Amino acid sequence: MIDHPPKSLSTRLSRTLAAVALAALVPLAWGANHREAPLTAIDTKADITDWFAFVSYDNPTKVTMILNVDPLLQPSNGPNYFPFDPEVLYEMKVDNTFDGDEDVRIQFRFARPEIRLPGVFTGFVGVGAGVSTPANSPPPVAPGTPLIPAAITALDGPGSEGLSLRQTYTVTILKKVGTTWTTVFTSGPTRLFAVPANVGPRTMPSYDAFARQGIYSLAGGIRVFAGTVDDPFYIDLGAAFDTLAFRSGASGVGVPGVLSDAQDADDTRNFASDSVAGFNVNTIAIELPITMLSRDGAIHPASDPLATIGTYATTSRPRIKTQPTTPGGLPGLSTNFVQIQRMGNPLINELLIGTGDKDKFSMSEPKNDATFASYLLDPLLARVINAAYGGAVAIPTPPRLDLLPLVTYAPPIAATGTPAGPVADLLRLNTGVPATAKALRKRMGLLAGDPAGFPNGRRLSDDVTDISARAVVGVLNPAFNVFPNKRIGDGVNTNDKPTQETFPYVSFSHSGRDSRKVDPGEAGCFAVLPPFAPVSCPIN
């Protein structure tokens, strides 16, 4: 493979054509940011795995935004499990003036976990109604002495005695007026608890009910949730990174990595293994009125340019950190932050940006994304697919103007007449398009005629792997919306746990004791006899 698009590309284009071609910057690749850049590969607490924004299913006047961080969490990995990093500033950002720059900031800060049982060897402990020492308990602990607290059933008060490691957080919303940022909401003294991982059925016997206690209704119609949950992303990750070696079992048509019409239409089964099945992730979710996000504080129909917003998320760390000089002391942290990671669309950094520039991209601003046009005028990913499939998948000739609606404010996401703005990696959402009913929802989103699906925002169920792969090979251009381009897929069509139909929408954490992974060769995980696998991939 080549490291960059051919150098001759820029010399072939006139200054005018090059300026237009910059608008074809392609914010698409397989999957999402699971350790995609050198910096976040060693700073996983600041690694954004996924970013979602969609009109709430049960309230068309609200938007839900979900920021996932800290990838591939093994549910059984105790004893401290997965607290949020108290040094990281987690932010959700909204552009409502079409200039690629944020106009609304939603900030989450997490406190250092409190240790409520400092003498206990694990962060979470509990059995039934509690356990006392038996008759043969040796001195100095007398028989009948209360020893193990009751099972954990609450985040606070009775039932929380065994919750040794506990973390709180705050929420602040700021809006830009001119050049000044003004705080318009703060959770203040309200104690918001992050929901810990599911340790197992003995310690946390009614986990889902326990986790729902972490859903907080705040002033102004705002709801928030933070904690460890099932990773909603689904993909045959191993096959994708084995130089696109999608499993032959994912196809019933004799072409590896290409789905049959019947397979593609089945949004309920997997025909290859989900590499992320059984893993957890840390999530931050907020639901808030559209009026808090729109430019003029009003709700607009889909045909109004003001209905569309651009969204992305960032993680940042203090610019200066001074290590403590005494054991157990706390570090000194500056109040100025430097951005570590960002995510809008899923995702350009992992498979389009060269490794030498991945960190630079992570730390830059969306409004400056034309800086990376050398990688994107002629997307290398499209050429890799073209070559890996032996020429069976034809691709458009650059510059890729077919992808213009994905990187600027343009139809079919934004209304006609919306200012296009600069090229910027933003997840654009038309807030005037209501949520699609579950029975009509399509994993392929807009490509399948579902107007509320990716790339009009992103829902948890959207198959961004298949959507992105097909967009990269040109299906947005009618001349390339043909077989096999329009049937490329990894064979993973659904998540291992069903998502919820109301806030916070994510599925709650896998059990640390009872979770399992799906092996690539496991029976039922890919089609042994085409065109279908005998059963869906097992779930936890």
Side-chain angles (χ1 to χ4, degrees):
M1 291 187 288
I2 55 176
D3 289 330
H4 298 275
K7 292 183 179 179
S8 61
L9 176 63
S10 60
T11 61
R12 293 199 309 267
L13 301 174
S14 67
R15 290 180 180 271
T16 301
L17 182 58
V20 174
L22 285 174
L25 186 149
V26 188
L28 292 169
W30 276 292
N33 298 22
H34 287 63
R35 301 183 182 177
E36 82 297 339
L39 181 59
T40 50
I42 59 175
D43 189 2
T44 59
K45 290 293 185 181
D47 186 3
I48 301 173
T49 68
D50 286 287
W51 169 242
F52 305 89
F54 52 92
V55 174
S56 295
Y57 296 174
D58 50 10
N59 191 334
T61 70
K62 294 185 178 182
V63 162
T64 293
M65 296 188 287
I66 299 173
L67 166 60
N68 287 350
V69 296
D70 206 355
L72 303 173
L73 301 179
Q74 168 60 39
S76 61
N77 192 15
N80 299 298
Y81 295 89
F82 319 110
F84 289 88
D85 192 328
E87 296 180 8
V88 171
L89 171 62
Y90 303 89
E91 292 186 283
M92 303 173 176
K93 300 183 177 182
V94 175
D95 167 33
N96 58 30
T97 54
F98 316 116
D99 61 359
D101 201 9
E102 73 264 30
D103 300 294
V104 180
R105 293 175 179 169
I106 306 171
Q107 299 180 333
F108 296 82
R109 296 300 308 272
F110 290 81
R112 293 186 177 277
E114 57 180 320
I115 304 176
R116 304 169 72 211
L117 301 173
V120 176
F121 61 89
T122 184
F124 310 97
V125 61
V127 176
V131 178
S132 299
T133 55
N136 61 349
S137 174
V141 181
T145 301
L147 184 69
I148 304 175
I152 298 172
T153 58
L155 289 167
D156 196 21
S160 72
E161 294 82 1
L163 195 64
S164 178
L165 296 179
R166 191 170 65 172
Q167 190 170 36
T168 60
Y169 64 99
T170 60
V171 185
T172 303
I173 302 177
L174 304 97
K175 285 191 175 182
K176 184 167 60 177
V177 180
T179 58
T180 302
W181 286 96
T182 301
T183 299
V184 296
F185 173 85
T186 177
S187 57
T190 303
R191 298 194 78 193
L192 308 175
F193 294 104
V195 176
N198 182 356
V199 174
R202 170 181 281 183
T203 307
M204 299 174 173
S206 302
Y207 183 80
D208 282 7
F210 166 69
R212 289 190 184 95
Q213 297 175 38
I215 302 171
Y216 294 96
S217 295
L218 306 178
I222 296 171
R223 289 196 289 181
V224 294
F225 175 90
T228 302
V229 301
D230 161 65
D231 191 332
F233 184 51
Y234 53 94
I235 185 176
D236 188 348
L237 198 62
F241 282 112
D242 188 20
T243 318
L244 311 183
F246 287 153
R247 304 175 200 280
S248 59
S251 172
V253 294
V255 182
V258 176
L259 304 179
S260 68
D261 288 347
Q263 288 173 325
D264 192 55
D266 192 336
D267 290 359
T268 64
R269 295 203 295 169
N270 289 337
F271 306 95
S273 59
D274 177 6
S275 301
V276 192
F279 284 102
N280 287 329
V281 72
N282 275 349
T283 196
I284 304 169
I286 187 169
E287 180 185 68
L288 68 174
I290 293 172
T291 54
M292 296 189 71
L293 304 177
S294 63
R295 181 196 301 186
D296 59 356
I299 297 176
H300 299 274
S303 58
D304 190 325
L306 293 182
T308 300
I309 58 177
T311 72
Y312 68 109
T314 64
T315 55
S316 304
R317 286 192 177 278
R319 188 172 297 275
I320 299 174
K321 177 178 179 178
T322 304
Q323 296 292 352
T325 57
T326 58
L330 298 178
L333 305 173
S334 71
T335 56
N336 294 321
F337 288 83
V338 58
Q339 183 174 300
I340 302 298
Q341 175 66 299
R342 63 162 162 127
M343 184 177 182
N345 285 285
L347 98 99
I348 68 172
N349 208 1
E350 192 153 356
L351 288 178
L352 292 184
I353 303 297
T355 302
D357 280 335
K358 286 182 182 293
D359 288 342
K360 180 180 178 182
F361 180 88
S362 295
M363 301 173 77
S364 66
E365 298 293 334
K367 63 183 178 182
N368 299 322
D369 279 346
T371 302
F372 304 95
S374 61
Y375 287 108
L376 305 161
L377 291 171
D378 182 5
L380 177 58
L381 178 60
R383 294 192 176 275
V384 170
I385 295 175
N386 175 248
Y389 282 63
V393 179
I395 58 175
T397 300
R400 294 292 304 279
L401 300 181
D402 56 302
L403 292 163
L404 183 62
L406 302 175
V407 295
T408 62
Y409 292 96
I413 300 171
T416 300
T418 303
V423 169
D425 177 24
L426 301 173
L427 181 63
R428 291 165 176 83
L429 173 66
N430 189 323
T431 60
V433 178
T436 302
K438 182 179 181 180
L440 302 175
R441 205 173 300 151
K442 301 294 184 182
R443 68 180 180 90
M444 295 301 294
L446 275 178
L447 292 186
D450 181 349
F454 178 74
N456 181 22
R458 181 186 174 191
R459 304 165 300 194
L460 297 170
S461 60
D462 288 336
D463 192 344
V464 295
T465 299
D466 289 4
I467 296 170
S468 299
R470 296 176 195 186
V472 164
V473 298
V475 298
L476 300 182
N477 180 335
F480 291 87
N481 189 24
V482 296
F483 186 88
N485 299 49
K486 67 179 183 179
R487 289 293 178 261
I488 290 176
D490 67 345
V492 183
N493 292 5
T494 187
N495 190 37
D496 58 322
K497 290 187 72 174
T499 55
Q500 301 186 65
E501 284 297 301
T502 189
F503 186 82
Y505 297 100
V506 290
S507 297
F508 295 131
S509 171
H510 292 279
S511 166
R513 181 183 185 274
D514 297 334
S515 66
R516 65 183 300 275
K517 304 297 184 294
V518 177
D519 297 326
E522 189 172 338
C525 288
F526 62 89
V528 178
L529 297 173
F532 296 116
V535 294
S536 299
C537 283
I539 61 174
N540 294 337

